[in-house]
């Protein structure tokens, strides 16, 4: 019985984390709803995209919390969970840093024209 309660609490915790992450993007959907004609369709699309984008970080956070508890109780089980958490969050942070660099420098990071030596 305790095992069933534990799994239910883990699932509910994941859903709460996911809903919290999804609610951060809520104002974007409301702002899109204000656009005449296409607003409701655009708002629904943004809500769907926000739902999909926030699932991996929510999953990583839930696994991170579960992993911290398992490291304290049974390190053999908790260590892979913490590695998964660190890899997922590291990838997410890397993605955010890369997009910020691309915005800051624009096309300069993508390279310029290729100059052919024969034309010079």
């Amino acid at each position: 019985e305790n095992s069933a309660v534990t799994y239910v609490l883990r699932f509910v915790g994941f859903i709460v984390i996911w809903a919290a992450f999804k609610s951060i993007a809520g104002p974007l959907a409301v702002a899109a709803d204000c656009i005449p004609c296409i607003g409701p369709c655009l708002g629904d699309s943004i809500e769907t995209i926000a739902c999909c984008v926030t699932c991996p970080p929510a999953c990583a956070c839930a696994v991170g919390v579960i992993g911290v508890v398992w490291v304290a109780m049974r390190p053999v089980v908790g260590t892979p969970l913490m590695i998964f958490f660190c890899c997922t969050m590291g990838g997410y942070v890397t993605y955010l840093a890369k997009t910020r660099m691309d915005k800051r420098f624009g096309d300069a990071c993508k390279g310029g024209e290729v100059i052919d030596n024969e034309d010079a």
Side-chain angles (χ1 to χ4, degrees):
E1 182 179 314
N2 287 338
S3 178
V5 170
T6 302
Y7 282 113
V8 167
L9 288 175
R10 286 178 186 160
F11 182 73
V12 168
F14 167 70
I15 296 298
V16 167
I17 292 171
W18 193 7
F21 280 174
K22 189 179 169 300
S23 68
I24 291 172
L28 295 174
V30 173
D33 279 337
C34 296
I35 298 172
C37 298
I38 62 166
C41 180
L42 189 61
D44 292 343
S45 298
I46 290 175
E47 284 181 11
T48 304
I49 291 169
C51 186
C52 294
V53 167
T54 58
C55 184
C59 183
C61 287
V63 168
V65 170
I66 294 167
V68 166
V69 174
W70 273 106
V71 164
M73 302 302 244
R74 202 179 291 174
V76 174
V77 177
T79 303
L81 293 173
M82 291 305 296
I83 290 171
F84 174 77
F85 168 72
C86 291
C87 289
T88 305
M89 293 310 286
Y92 191 64
V93 168
T94 303
Y95 171 75
L96 288 176
K98 183 182 178 319
T99 56
R100 286 185 182 164
M101 285 291 249
D102 288 347
K103 284 182 184 176
R104 180 179 293 165
F105 295 112
D107 291 334
C109 291
K110 295 179 184 174
E113 290 183 9
V114 176
I115 299 174
D116 194 10
N117 288 337
E118 294 174 10
D119 292 337

